[in-house]
Amino acid sequence: MSRKLYLLTYGCQMNEYDSAKMADVLAKSHGFERTNVAEEADLLLLNTCSVREKAQEKVFSELGRWKDWKSARPGRLIGVGGCVASQEGDAIARRAPIVDIVFGPQTLHRLPELLERAGKAGVPAVDISFPEIEKFDRLPEPRAEGPTAFVSIMEGCSKYCTFCVVPYTRGEEVSRPLDDVLAECARLVEQGVREITLLGQNVNAYRGRMGAHETCDLALLINHLARLDGLARIRFMTSHPVEFTDSLIEAFAEEPKLASYLHLPVQSGSDRILAMMKRGHNRAQYLEKIRRVREARPDLSLSSDFIVGFPSETDADFMATMDLIAEARFDCAFSFIYSPRPGTPAANLRDSVTAQDKHRRLEILQGRIRLLDAEFKEKLVGTTQRVLVERASRKGEGQMTGRTSTNRWVNFDGSDSLIGRFVDVYVAEALSNSLRGRLLTEPAALAA
Ligand code: SAM
Ligand code: F3S
């Protein structure tokens, strides 16, 4: 009987991607099958996130809950991977002795060896090194799970924003060679994938080796990918404003396969705070890039990340962020209260903003984004949108769901046979988290 793996993932899409790869690696090496029932499992893996304190603390409270699970059957193993593992190393196993394996985001491909070592010498197997691109060379063939897929094109981040732990946990930027990325995408397309999201902490810093002496940037990679027959939509995330270059703006103007969605984190609208964060740009430079990309792609959906309550942030700084939101017209955002991360420069600053102010600012900001999202969706009502049908909708029987180019979910009546196909849907209604539509194209007449 095959052994069973129970995998819990916290954090960003990079972690989701890494978790899928962990499952692939262990399926190939030890025949592990993934299960959603913890009681059946022989191996528990926690893929962790340390971007904010809450996420980090969750790991130890979670581990506390697995003591009985582990002692209920001899031989059960627990592994901790991801950014908390990378930061804490074997301190994890000291604080939570039930842990057998500790591995980082760059060593997940070594899980088979770590598993063999685990528990043998009575000490946990730990490997949190950064062996650069080796990880990608040793991963099994990519497996498509539906019509959309993520492809990691680079790892790490070299921007060192003063609040962020990522450069320390995932290491500096390393890009995969162009040919490797194209080969992985081609294999996914052969398996029916129609939309690919290029992933990385900072994808527009992509500089992949191309041939013997040249490098390829993100815009050129998008051009190459767009030539792949069968692939109809390309997305990328996350981007940093400084490297959001002219060539990428051009790609939005000229490459119809590039989706009308851009996630370009700005964090704050105050120049003083942006400088303290060491983001490398000011508000005017950011707005100028937005103006130009909107010119290139007028129907663009624009999304961002914000941090409120950065040390010394005043009401005036916060109002500058709110003004920027109005000017840039973000229709989607992920917003967070600043969380000091050990080892980052900002953690040494006095945290002068009261908890009350932080929560009030977050609420105001999120309320404003909700309104802008509602306005954006309302504008889609009465239009026809091309939707890639991804799966049956949870809204009810006989309903399918998929996303518009602008990354909005649309539910409509249809059958499973539409999965993986692009359809034209008339948008009839905007709801709080999705759109309601009516299928226009007859399945038989569907093209890509
Ligand atoms: N590469 C992205 C960029 O260009 O900004 C950011 C990746 S980071 C893992 C995701 C988001 O988490 C950031 O954009 C930021 O808003 C948030 N974040 C990072 N460190 C944080 C901290 N110490 N406190 C609160 N939020 C934080
Ligand atoms: Fe973090 Fe800034 Fe890089 S937010 S992931 S250091 S761009």
Side-chain angles (χ1 to χ4, degrees):
M1 208 173 63
S2 68
R3 289 198 274 173
K4 297 265 192 322
L5 163 69
Y6 186 73
L7 234 167
L8 278 177
T9 308
Y10 303 133
C12 62
Q13 262 150 347
M14 289 293 289
N15 267 15
E16 293 288 347
Y17 178 87
D18 282 350
S19 287
K21 298 294 171 197
M22 290 172 200
D24 286 353
V25 165
L26 290 170
K28 191 170 170 209
S29 67
H30 289 76
F32 270 98
E33 257 176 47
R34 227 169 142 167
T35 173
N36 291 323
V37 184
E39 271 320 303
E40 288 178 5
D42 305 283
L43 172 64
L44 163 72
L45 291 182
L46 292 187
N47 191 6
T48 62
C49 168
S50 62
V51 164
R52 282 166 291 277
E53 190 181 0
K54 242 191 205 153
Q56 175 141 6
E57 277 315 304
K58 214 155 67 176
V59 175
F60 291 101
S61 52
E62 189 68 52
L63 284 170
R65 281 196 283 277
W66 292 99
K67 271 194 196 114
D68 291 344
W69 174 87
K70 183 161 174 169
S71 50
R73 197 199 303 157
R76 272 180 167 170
L77 294 174
I78 295 182
V80 179
C83 289
V84 177
S86 168
Q87 205 168 18
E88 304 270 318
D90 43 20
I92 292 195
R94 281 202 300 276
R95 187 166 159 191
I98 58 167
V99 172
D100 306 282
I101 302 169
V102 180
F103 59 103
Q106 315 295 15
T107 47
L108 64 90
H109 58 285
R110 296 182 182 165
L111 264 172
E113 293 102 283
L114 290 167
L115 199 63
E116 291 301 322
R117 262 167 54 197
K120 286 226 170 101
V123 287
V126 180
D127 185 349
I128 52 160
S129 57
F130 292 93
E132 297 232 325
I133 217 74
E134 174 195 287
K135 164 177 160 183
F136 292 104
D137 294 338
R138 294 207 15 215
L139 289 175
E141 285 281 298
R143 258 185 321 113
E145 283 171 17
T148 62
F150 290 115
V151 172
S152 174
I153 62 169
M154 54 89 66
E155 279 277 336
C157 183
S158 310
K159 296 289 170 290
Y160 293 96
C161 301
T162 57
F163 54 83
C164 185
V165 80
V166 169
Y168 311 98
T169 56
R170 284 192 173 261
E172 296 223 327
E173 290 157 3
V174 185
S175 298
R176 295 176 69 191
L178 172 69
D179 285 346
D180 291 7
V181 173
L182 293 179
E184 178 166 343
C185 293
R187 279 196 291 275
L188 288 165
V189 170
E190 277 160 24
Q191 296 172 55
V193 166
R194 314 299 310 278
E195 173 183 307
I196 285 178
T197 302
L198 304 173
L199 268 192
Q201 289 300 338
N202 206 0
V203 274
N204 48 359
Y206 178 75
R207 298 287 179 276
R209 204 179 65 232
M210 182 171 67
H213 307 291
E214 286 178 291
T215 55
C216 170
D217 70 1
L218 179 61
L220 191 54
L221 167 60
I222 291 169
N223 292 153
H224 277 283
L225 266 185
R227 284 187 230 138
L228 206 61
D229 280 343
L231 181 64
R233 207 180 255 172
I234 303 164
R235 302 180 188 274
F236 60 86
M237 73 183 302
T238 303
S239 313
H240 189 285
V242 168
E243 272 150 326
F244 192 73
T245 53
D246 288 358
S247 59
L248 268 174
I249 293 177
E250 232 165 81
F252 274 104
E254 286 166 12
E255 187 40 73
K257 288 189 180 178
L258 184 58
S260 292
Y261 174 77
L262 172 63
H263 181 68
L264 195 62
V266 67
Q267 317 296 352
S268 170
S270 154
D271 280 342
R272 191 179 70 84
I273 299 291
L274 285 173
M276 286 179 76
M277 290 175 163
K278 286 213 164 47
R279 291 288 289 177
H281 65 86
N282 61 26
R283 166 199 181 93
Q285 288 163 332
Y286 183 87
L287 282 169
E288 176 57 13
K289 292 197 181 192
I290 296 306
R291 190 192 62 71
R292 292 183 52 217
V293 69
R294 282 205 187 277
E295 211 171 82
R297 188 64 76 85
D299 71 342
L300 189 81
S301 162
L302 181 65
S303 148
S304 182
D305 290 346
F306 293 97
I307 293 178
V308 298
F310 188 79
S312 87
E313 184 189 66
T314 61
D315 274 337
D317 291 317
F318 175 65
M319 286 321 292
T321 301
M322 294 303 293
D323 282 353
L324 179 86
I325 291 174
E327 245 186 276
R329 287 178 290 117
F330 297 103
D331 51 85
C332 174
F334 303 92
S335 44
F336 316 98
I337 287 176
Y338 168 70
S339 169
R341 303 315 296 128
T344 61
N348 300 323
L349 299 171
R350 199 167 70 85
D351 192 357
S352 52
V353 187
T354 66
Q356 201 188 0
D357 278 343
K358 288 175 188 167
H359 284 100
R360 180 177 51 83
R361 288 175 193 166
L362 188 68
E363 221 169 277
I364 295 173
L365 191 153
Q366 291 182 338
R368 183 78 182 111
I369 296 287
R370 265 197 302 277
L371 283 177
L372 288 163
D373 168 47
E375 262 174 42
F376 187 88
K377 292 207 296 283
E378 206 51 56
K379 279 204 192 116
L380 296 179
V381 174
T383 66
T384 298
Q385 296 290 317
R386 185 144 288 197
V387 169
L388 172 58
V389 186
E390 293 190 31
R391 52 178 165 77
S393 165
R394 294 182 195 108
K395 295 269 174 196
E397 201 150 310
Q399 291 195 48
M400 305 307 292
T401 193
R403 276 174 300 159
T404 63
S405 171
T406 51
N407 211 28
R408 293 306 196 275
W409 287 97
V410 191
N411 297 297
F412 55 94
D413 291 345
S415 68
D416 282 1
S417 62
L418 294 175
I419 292 175
R421 308 182 78 167
F422 279 86
V423 294
D424 284 338
V425 174
Y426 174 80
V427 180
E429 195 184 353
L431 306 169
S432 54
N433 293 316
S434 61
L435 301 165
R436 173 90 208 134
R438 202 169 58 240
L439 183 64
L440 292 179
T441 27
E442 284 301 315
L446 291 177

